[in-house]
Structure formats: C-alpha cells, structure tokens
Amino acid sequence: MKKYAKDQLLIRSIEVHKRIINEGQNIDFESIGFEKGTPLDRVISYNTFTILTKMDFPKDEATKSDSKAATLLNELSKHEPSETIIEKLVEYRKEVEN
C-alpha cells in the first residue's frame, strides 16, 4: 500500500482520472496531456490502463473497460480521495489473487 501511495505518477493519474470521470466532455483535454478532440472513452481507457498496471493488476483487468477493477476505479473516482481509491483497489486485487 505504501509503495503506491508514494508513486507520484500513480497519484497524478488518479487525480486526472477523477477529473475525467467527474467533468466528462467538459474537461480541457490539453490541460491533462491529451490532444483536443481525443474521444473521451479513449482517454478513460488510457488512464484506467495506466492506473491498474501501475498497481500490478493482471493484464485482463487493466485492458478491459468493463472489468471489475475498471468499474470499481470509475465508481470510486466519483467521490473518493486518491488514498481511498488506492486502498480499495489494493483490497480488491488481494481478493482476486486469493
């Protein structure tokens, strides 16, 4: 858990993901490193992949937009702080591994 909480790329990716989920099409894509006009679903998929792979999720969980891990990430991003998102994703990954 601590290694993830100290990972600045992971924290930044989660913060951006929260903005994407909450602001949707209204977000300024260029301000988060994407070209203007990039499809929202592509941005969400890319960020989801970045976050889940940084957190050592299996490839199938990280690459499928409808995976349980991706769905959990998107739901948590609506209201939870980054630390809670990391904590809940770590708990879920442990459940899946066992």
Side-chain angles (χ1 to χ4, degrees):
M1 171 68 193
K2 289 182 182 181
K3 96 174 185 181
Y4 299 122
K6 293 181 180 181
D7 186 328
Q8 291 303 308
L9 175 60
L10 177 61
I11 298 295
R12 174 76 174 126
S13 296
I14 291 171
E15 290 299 321
V16 167
H17 197 74
K18 288 168 52 177
R19 284 188 58 207
I20 294 165
I21 295 298
N22 290 305
E23 296 177 34
Q25 288 291 351
N26 296 324
I27 195 165
D28 176 13
F29 289 110
E30 292 172 323
S31 74
I32 58 171
F34 291 93
E35 292 181 13
K36 187 175 184 175
T38 303
L40 181 62
D41 62 332
R42 181 169 294 156
V43 174
I44 292 172
S45 295
Y46 176 82
N47 246 45
T48 299
F49 178 78
T50 301
I51 293 165
L52 296 179
T53 55
K54 289 288 288 173
M55 294 189 68
D56 304 315
F57 274 86
K59 184 179 177 182
D60 61 324
E61 286 279 332
T63 57
K64 295 180 182 175
S65 61
D66 62 345
S67 72
K68 288 185 180 183
T71 302
L72 179 61
L73 171 61
N74 292 338
E75 285 302 311
L76 292 171
S77 294
K78 292 177 183 175
H79 305 290
E80 300 293 340
S82 298
E83 296 78 19
T84 302
I85 293 171
I86 291 171
E87 182 181 312
K88 298 283 185 185
L89 286 172
V90 168
E91 288 173 11
Y92 173 70
R93 193 188 71 234
K94 287 179 182 176
E95 286 177 24
V96 172
E97 289 175 347
N98 294 329

